[in-house]
Amino acid sequence: MRTRTALAAALLLAVGALPTSAVAATADTTHVDGQLPSGAAYMMDVPADWNGTVLLFSHGYTPGPANPARDVTDEATKALLLQRGYALIGSSYASTGWAVTDAVPDQLATLTAFTERFGAASRTIAWGQSYGGLVTTAIAERHPERIDGSLSLCGLVHGGVANWNSTLDPVFALKTLLAPGADIPLVDLPDQQTAADAANTLTAAVDTAQSTPAGRARIALAAALHNIPAWNQPTQPRPAATDWDAHEANQYEAVKGLVKLPAFSWRQEAETRAGGNMSWNTGVDYARMLGRSSVRTEVTALYKKAGLSLKADLAALNRAPRVSADPAAVTWMASTSSFTGRLTKPQLNVHTTGDALIPVQAESALKRAVDAAGSASRLRQAYTDNAGHCTFSPAEQLAALDTLEDRLTTGRWVGTDPGALNSRAAKADPTTPTRYVSYHPSPYPRPYDLAHPGDGR
């Protein structure tokens, strides 16, 4: 009896360590919901006529508390992929926020669970959007043996250190120029209430500044340090090329969005994980940074219109007390969330040109690392002419997937030019837009990668 009891207890422990799941089948698709040992939820959708390829989807940043599993970008794209016979899988990650240390193992565990249930795939493609592009690229660099190729959509492919440095720069400018006497902590945020109070105080300063020509010029300068484009939401009118007031009006909304969440609330969560402040602006020359910005002409024009000295404001930024990083926090962020650029499997990246949250210049930062690592032949980047973050049509997503599939099948990149991509997109889904364009992003403001660990200034 004691032996049977011990065996039963051991069996219960073993079962508890395995992924749990529930299955719902339709005539065309088997849907599986489950839970990994980490506590992360996962989901799988496998069509009856599975084509042998599994798409491992990494979702974007989730602040919580809700944390559902996702296995695709949107429902319209999901329907088209299932019609084509793709198996779709993805997890929630065991935690929300800057969850890369949970996300990568949970995604790989989901892939293992899929293989155990449905058998080995003939081809595995990792794909993700936004923060999920960072997770996807981390899988591609650190676990290439688990996948055949990867696809990043509007991805945070510049890595964590560069991201938090470039999130610091615009709020540093806003505080210095719009609220120099206010008590607004930019880093070392101990809790979410402190973060919310700081965000509210700085937002009020931005709102006040928007009512004057000088304030609008300074908001444009802060936007330029983050490369926030003039057209950054599909709901905005696309401004004329030299309508600088319209450019700034669109950027104003994006700057407030940056202050409200990434610059304070999301930073506080990431600092907690990193064990301190992982960003700095010591040694940064803001005049030089503005000179590399994609929207510098607008800033010059608005300062002139306001009768304000841009040279004096840049000098004020360069004189202002700087923010130093916690070296241990930088090490944590670099080791978990920055990239070497070493790709051993093909990766295709797609970015909208009008992205304010993860500006398109992030692609320049990744290319810099990939070129330094000697992996340029494995990376291709494409761009769609649209405003917003991750505002891709189903047609555009399928065209990217088809292009990556061809690369995996033939061993060479074919049809990565805008004409070929638009042709593929129109064929894949003639009901949604096709907006691929020829585009070359300007340099990222402050790139940082593991191929150039001394950079970031």
Side-chain angles (χ1 to χ4, degrees), residues 220-243:
L221 171 57
L225 297 180
H226 196 64
N227 276 326
I228 292 175
W231 186 44
N232 56 72
Q233 288 297 330
T235 54
Q236 295 172 338
R238 188 168 193 169
T242 59
D243 187 347

PDB file of all heavy atoms in Angstrom, residues 220-243:
ATOM      1  N   ALA A 220       8.634  69.811 -30.460  1.00  0.00           N
ATOM      2  CA  ALA A 220       9.172  69.239 -31.703  1.00  0.00           C
ATOM      3  C   ALA A 220      10.620  68.778 -31.516  1.00  0.00           C
ATOM      4  O   ALA A 220      11.027  67.744 -32.061  1.00  0.00           O
ATOM      5  CB  ALA A 220       9.082  70.262 -32.832  1.00  0.00           C
ATOM      6  N   LEU A 221      11.400  69.531 -30.755  1.00  0.00           N
ATOM      7  CA  LEU A 221      12.780  69.125 -30.486  1.00  0.00           C
ATOM      8  C   LEU A 221      12.809  67.811 -29.718  1.00  0.00           C
ATOM      9  O   LEU A 221      13.580  66.895 -30.062  1.00  0.00           O
ATOM     10  CB  LEU A 221      13.495  70.226 -29.689  1.00  0.00           C
ATOM     11  CG  LEU A 221      14.889  69.877 -29.137  1.00  0.00           C
ATOM     12  CD1 LEU A 221      15.833  69.449 -30.252  1.00  0.00           C
ATOM     13  CD2 LEU A 221      15.459  71.064 -28.365  1.00  0.00           C
ATOM     14  N   ALA A 222      11.974  67.678 -28.692  1.00  0.00           N
ATOM     15  CA  ALA A 222      11.912  66.419 -27.944  1.00  0.00           C
ATOM     16  C   ALA A 222      11.489  65.269 -28.853  1.00  0.00           C
ATOM     17  O   ALA A 222      12.046  64.166 -28.784  1.00  0.00           O
ATOM     18  CB  ALA A 222      10.944  66.554 -26.770  1.00  0.00           C
ATOM     19  N   ALA A 223      10.515  65.526 -29.724  1.00  0.00           N
ATOM     20  CA  ALA A 223      10.065  64.487 -30.657  1.00  0.00           C
ATOM     21  C   ALA A 223      11.195  64.075 -31.589  1.00  0.00           C
ATOM     22  O   ALA A 223      11.346  62.888 -31.924  1.00  0.00           O
ATOM     23  CB  ALA A 223       8.869  64.988 -31.468  1.00  0.00           C
ATOM     24  N   ALA A 224      12.007  65.037 -32.011  1.00  0.00           N
ATOM     25  CA  ALA A 224      13.102  64.737 -32.935  1.00  0.00           C
ATOM     26  C   ALA A 224      14.155  63.841 -32.292  1.00  0.00           C
ATOM     27  O   ALA A 224      14.787  63.029 -32.969  1.00  0.00           O
ATOM     28  CB  ALA A 224      13.745  66.035 -33.414  1.00  0.00           C
ATOM     29  N   LEU A 225      14.360  63.962 -30.998  1.00  0.00           N
ATOM     30  CA  LEU A 225      15.356  63.130 -30.315  1.00  0.00           C
ATOM     31  C   LEU A 225      14.921  61.674 -30.247  1.00  0.00           C
ATOM     32  O   LEU A 225      15.743  60.786 -29.992  1.00  0.00           O
ATOM     33  CB  LEU A 225      15.615  63.677 -28.909  1.00  0.00           C
ATOM     34  CG  LEU A 225      16.203  65.088 -28.853  1.00  0.00           C
ATOM     35  CD1 LEU A 225      16.404  65.522 -27.416  1.00  0.00           C
ATOM     36  CD2 LEU A 225      17.506  65.187 -29.647  1.00  0.00           C
ATOM     37  N   HIS A 226      13.636  61.428 -30.476  1.00  0.00           N
ATOM     38  CA  HIS A 226      13.114  60.055 -30.534  1.00  0.00           C
ATOM     39  C   HIS A 226      12.747  59.662 -31.961  1.00  0.00           C
ATOM     40  O   HIS A 226      12.238  58.569 -32.196  1.00  0.00           O
ATOM     41  CB  HIS A 226      11.885  59.934 -29.624  1.00  0.00           C
ATOM     42  CG  HIS A 226      11.481  58.535 -29.300  1.00  0.00           C
ATOM     43  ND1 HIS A 226      12.275  57.673 -28.590  1.00  0.00           N
ATOM     44  CD2 HIS A 226      10.353  57.837 -29.594  1.00  0.00           C
ATOM     45  CE1 HIS A 226      11.669  56.515 -28.444  1.00  0.00           C
ATOM     46  NE2 HIS A 226      10.495  56.576 -29.052  1.00  0.00           N
ATOM     47  N   ASN A 227      12.954  60.573 -32.924  1.00  0.00           N
ATOM     48  CA  ASN A 227      12.570  60.356 -34.323  1.00  0.00           C
ATOM     49  C   ASN A 227      11.079  60.061 -34.482  1.00  0.00           C
ATOM     50  O   ASN A 227      10.676  59.193 -35.267  1.00  0.00           O
ATOM     51  CB  ASN A 227      13.400  59.229 -34.948  1.00  0.00           C
ATOM     52  CG  ASN A 227      14.735  59.721 -35.469  1.00  0.00           C
ATOM     53  OD1 ASN A 227      14.848  60.838 -35.949  1.00  0.00           O
ATOM     54  ND2 ASN A 227      15.752  58.892 -35.355  1.00  0.00           N
ATOM     55  N   ILE A 228      10.241  60.768 -33.735  1.00  0.00           N
ATOM     56  CA  ILE A 228       8.796  60.609 -33.870  1.00  0.00           C
ATOM     57  C   ILE A 228       8.367  61.240 -35.194  1.00  0.00           C
ATOM     58  O   ILE A 228       8.599  62.423 -35.429  1.00  0.00           O
ATOM     59  CB  ILE A 228       8.056  61.257 -32.693  1.00  0.00           C
ATOM     60  CG1 ILE A 228       8.348  60.473 -31.414  1.00  0.00           C
ATOM     61  CG2 ILE A 228       6.550  61.311 -32.952  1.00  0.00           C
ATOM     62  CD1 ILE A 228       7.764  61.079 -30.158  1.00  0.00           C
ATOM     63  N   PRO A 229       7.752  60.484 -36.086  1.00  0.00           N
ATOM     64  CA  PRO A 229       7.411  61.025 -37.410  1.00  0.00           C
ATOM     65  C   PRO A 229       6.213  61.964 -37.359  1.00  0.00           C
ATOM     66  O   PRO A 229       5.409  61.936 -36.420  1.00  0.00           O
ATOM     67  CB  PRO A 229       7.102  59.765 -38.224  1.00  0.00           C
ATOM     68  CG  PRO A 229       6.664  58.761 -37.211  1.00  0.00           C
ATOM     69  CD  PRO A 229       7.418  59.054 -35.957  1.00  0.00           C
ATOM     70  N   ALA A 230       6.099  62.766 -38.394  1.00  0.00           N
ATOM     71  CA  ALA A 230       5.015  63.746 -38.450  1.00  0.00           C
ATOM     72  C   ALA A 230       3.656  63.101 -38.648  1.00  0.00           C
ATOM     73  O   ALA A 230       2.638  63.638 -38.216  1.00  0.00           O
ATOM     74  CB  ALA A 230       5.278  64.745 -39.570  1.00  0.00           C
ATOM     75  N   TRP A 231       3.622  61.975 -39.305  1.00  0.00           N
ATOM     76  CA  TRP A 231       2.379  61.220 -39.510  1.00  0.00           C
ATOM     77  C   TRP A 231       2.562  59.895 -38.787  1.00  0.00           C
ATOM     78  O   TRP A 231       3.305  59.035 -39.226  1.00  0.00           O
ATOM     79  CB  TRP A 231       2.134  61.010 -41.004  1.00  0.00           C
ATOM     80  CG  TRP A 231       0.826  60.364 -41.345  1.00  0.00           C
ATOM     81  CD1 TRP A 231      -0.400  60.637 -40.824  1.00  0.00           C
ATOM     82  CD2 TRP A 231       0.617  59.324 -42.316  1.00  0.00           C
ATOM     83  NE1 TRP A 231      -1.365  59.838 -41.403  1.00  0.00           N
ATOM     84  CE2 TRP A 231      -0.764  59.020 -42.325  1.00  0.00           C
ATOM     85  CE3 TRP A 231       1.461  58.618 -43.172  1.00  0.00           C
ATOM     86  CZ2 TRP A 231      -1.316  58.045 -43.155  1.00  0.00           C
ATOM     87  CZ3 TRP A 231       0.923  57.652 -43.997  1.00  0.00           C
ATOM     88  CH2 TRP A 231      -0.453  57.373 -44.000  1.00  0.00           C
ATOM     89  N   ASN A 232       1.908  59.750 -37.635  1.00  0.00           N
ATOM     90  CA  ASN A 232       2.181  58.588 -36.800  1.00  0.00           C
ATOM     91  C   ASN A 232       0.950  57.827 -36.338  1.00  0.00           C
ATOM     92  O   ASN A 232       1.076  56.882 -35.559  1.00  0.00           O
ATOM     93  CB  ASN A 232       3.042  58.992 -35.600  1.00  0.00           C
ATOM     94  CG  ASN A 232       2.410  60.101 -34.781  1.00  0.00           C
ATOM     95  OD1 ASN A 232       1.429  59.895 -34.084  1.00  0.00           O
ATOM     96  ND2 ASN A 232       2.986  61.300 -34.877  1.00  0.00           N
ATOM     97  N   GLN A 233      -0.238  58.225 -36.819  1.00  0.00           N
ATOM     98  CA  GLN A 233      -1.461  57.467 -36.568  1.00  0.00           C
ATOM     99  C   GLN A 233      -2.317  57.481 -37.826  1.00  0.00           C
ATOM    100  O   GLN A 233      -2.460  58.527 -38.466  1.00  0.00           O
ATOM    101  CB  GLN A 233      -2.267  58.065 -35.402  1.00  0.00           C
ATOM    102  CG  GLN A 233      -1.665  57.856 -34.028  1.00  0.00           C
ATOM    103  CD  GLN A 233      -1.587  56.380 -33.647  1.00  0.00           C
ATOM    104  OE1 GLN A 233      -2.403  55.569 -34.083  1.00  0.00           O
ATOM    105  NE2 GLN A 233      -0.610  56.034 -32.829  1.00  0.00           N
ATOM    106  N   PRO A 234      -2.913  56.343 -38.206  1.00  0.00           N
ATOM    107  CA  PRO A 234      -3.739  56.338 -39.424  1.00  0.00           C
ATOM    108  C   PRO A 234      -4.910  57.305 -39.363  1.00  0.00           C
ATOM    109  O   PRO A 234      -5.409  57.749 -40.402  1.00  0.00           O
ATOM    110  CB  PRO A 234      -4.225  54.884 -39.505  1.00  0.00           C
ATOM    111  CG  PRO A 234      -3.259  54.096 -38.699  1.00  0.00           C
ATOM    112  CD  PRO A 234      -2.804  55.012 -37.599  1.00  0.00           C
ATOM    113  N   THR A 235      -5.370  57.656 -38.146  1.00  0.00           N
ATOM    114  CA  THR A 235      -6.496  58.573 -38.000  1.00  0.00           C
ATOM    115  C   THR A 235      -6.104  60.022 -38.222  1.00  0.00           C
ATOM    116  O   THR A 235      -6.982  60.889 -38.367  1.00  0.00           O
ATOM    117  CB  THR A 235      -7.100  58.430 -36.596  1.00  0.00           C
ATOM    118  OG1 THR A 235      -6.062  58.610 -35.620  1.00  0.00           O
ATOM    119  CG2 THR A 235      -7.727  57.053 -36.406  1.00  0.00           C
ATOM    120  N   GLN A 236      -4.813  60.314 -38.248  1.00  0.00           N
ATOM    121  CA  GLN A 236      -4.357  61.688 -38.465  1.00  0.00           C
ATOM    122  C   GLN A 236      -4.370  62.032 -39.948  1.00  0.00           C
ATOM    123  O   GLN A 236      -4.089  61.184 -40.790  1.00  0.00           O
ATOM    124  CB  GLN A 236      -2.923  61.865 -37.943  1.00  0.00           C
ATOM    125  CG  GLN A 236      -2.743  61.715 -36.459  1.00  0.00           C
ATOM    126  CD  GLN A 236      -1.274  61.707 -36.063  1.00  0.00           C
ATOM    127  OE1 GLN A 236      -0.398  61.421 -36.879  1.00  0.00           O
ATOM    128  NE2 GLN A 236      -0.991  62.025 -34.803  1.00  0.00           N
ATOM    129  N   PRO A 237      -4.644  63.283 -40.281  1.00  0.00           N
ATOM    130  CA  PRO A 237      -4.413  63.701 -41.667  1.00  0.00           C
ATOM    131  C   PRO A 237      -2.919  63.689 -41.938  1.00  0.00           C
ATOM    132  O   PRO A 237      -2.113  64.064 -41.083  1.00  0.00           O
ATOM    133  CB  PRO A 237      -4.984  65.121 -41.711  1.00  0.00           C
ATOM    134  CG  PRO A 237      -4.958  65.584 -40.284  1.00  0.00           C
ATOM    135  CD  PRO A 237      -5.162  64.371 -39.436  1.00  0.00           C
ATOM    136  N   ARG A 238      -2.557  63.263 -43.128  1.00  0.00           N
ATOM    137  CA  ARG A 238      -1.140  63.255 -43.473  1.00  0.00           C
ATOM    138  C   ARG A 238      -0.731  64.667 -43.858  1.00  0.00           C
ATOM    139  O   ARG A 238      -1.212  65.213 -44.853  1.00  0.00           O
ATOM    140  CB  ARG A 238      -0.882  62.286 -44.623  1.00  0.00           C
ATOM    141  CG  ARG A 238       0.596  62.065 -44.920  1.00  0.00           C
ATOM    142  CD  ARG A 238       0.795  60.903 -45.858  1.00  0.00           C
ATOM    143  NE  ARG A 238       2.198  60.491 -45.905  1.00  0.00           N
ATOM    144  CZ  ARG A 238       2.617  59.362 -46.481  1.00  0.00           C
ATOM    145  NH1 ARG A 238       1.733  58.544 -47.047  1.00  0.00           N
ATOM    146  NH2 ARG A 238       3.894  59.051 -46.470  1.00  0.00           N
ATOM    147  N   PRO A 239       0.160  65.289 -43.097  1.00  0.00           N
ATOM    148  CA  PRO A 239       0.464  66.697 -43.368  1.00  0.00           C
ATOM    149  C   PRO A 239       1.303  66.889 -44.615  1.00  0.00           C
ATOM    150  O   PRO A 239       2.053  66.002 -45.027  1.00  0.00           O
ATOM    151  CB  PRO A 239       1.236  67.131 -42.113  1.00  0.00           C
ATOM    152  CG  PRO A 239       1.839  65.878 -41.579  1.00  0.00           C
ATOM    153  CD  PRO A 239       0.881  64.770 -41.928  1.00  0.00           C
ATOM    154  N   ALA A 240       1.174  68.054 -45.193  1.00  0.00           N
ATOM    155  CA  ALA A 240       2.026  68.408 -46.332  1.00  0.00           C
ATOM    156  C   ALA A 240       3.478  68.449 -45.882  1.00  0.00           C
ATOM    157  O   ALA A 240       3.788  68.635 -44.701  1.00  0.00           O
ATOM    158  CB  ALA A 240       1.605  69.755 -46.902  1.00  0.00           C
ATOM    159  N   ALA A 241       4.366  68.313 -46.846  1.00  0.00           N
ATOM    160  CA  ALA A 241       5.785  68.137 -46.537  1.00  0.00           C
ATOM    161  C   ALA A 241       6.364  69.263 -45.696  1.00  0.00           C
ATOM    162  O   ALA A 241       7.230  69.020 -44.845  1.00  0.00           O
ATOM    163  CB  ALA A 241       6.573  68.000 -47.833  1.00  0.00           C
ATOM    164  N   THR A 242       5.915  70.502 -45.898  1.00  0.00           N
ATOM    165  CA  THR A 242       6.477  71.628 -45.148  1.00  0.00           C
ATOM    166  C   THR A 242       5.450  72.325 -44.260  1.00  0.00           C
ATOM    167  O   THR A 242       5.662  73.465 -43.838  1.00  0.00           O
ATOM    168  CB  THR A 242       7.105  72.647 -46.108  1.00  0.00           C
ATOM    169  OG1 THR A 242       6.108  73.116 -47.033  1.00  0.00           O
ATOM    170  CG2 THR A 242       8.269  72.036 -46.867  1.00  0.00           C
ATOM    171  N   ASP A 243       4.361  71.643 -43.948  1.00  0.00           N
ATOM    172  CA  ASP A 243       3.372  72.198 -43.002  1.00  0.00           C
ATOM    173  C   ASP A 243       3.836  71.856 -41.595  1.00  0.00           C
ATOM    174  O   ASP A 243       3.349  70.929 -40.954  1.00  0.00           O
ATOM    175  CB  ASP A 243       1.984  71.616 -43.285  1.00  0.00           C
ATOM    176  CG  ASP A 243       0.893  72.285 -42.463  1.00  0.00           C
ATOM    177  OD1 ASP A 243       1.234  73.021 -41.510  1.00  0.00           O
ATOM    178  OD2 ASP A 243      -0.297  72.032 -42.746  1.00  0.00           O
TER     179      ASP A 243
END
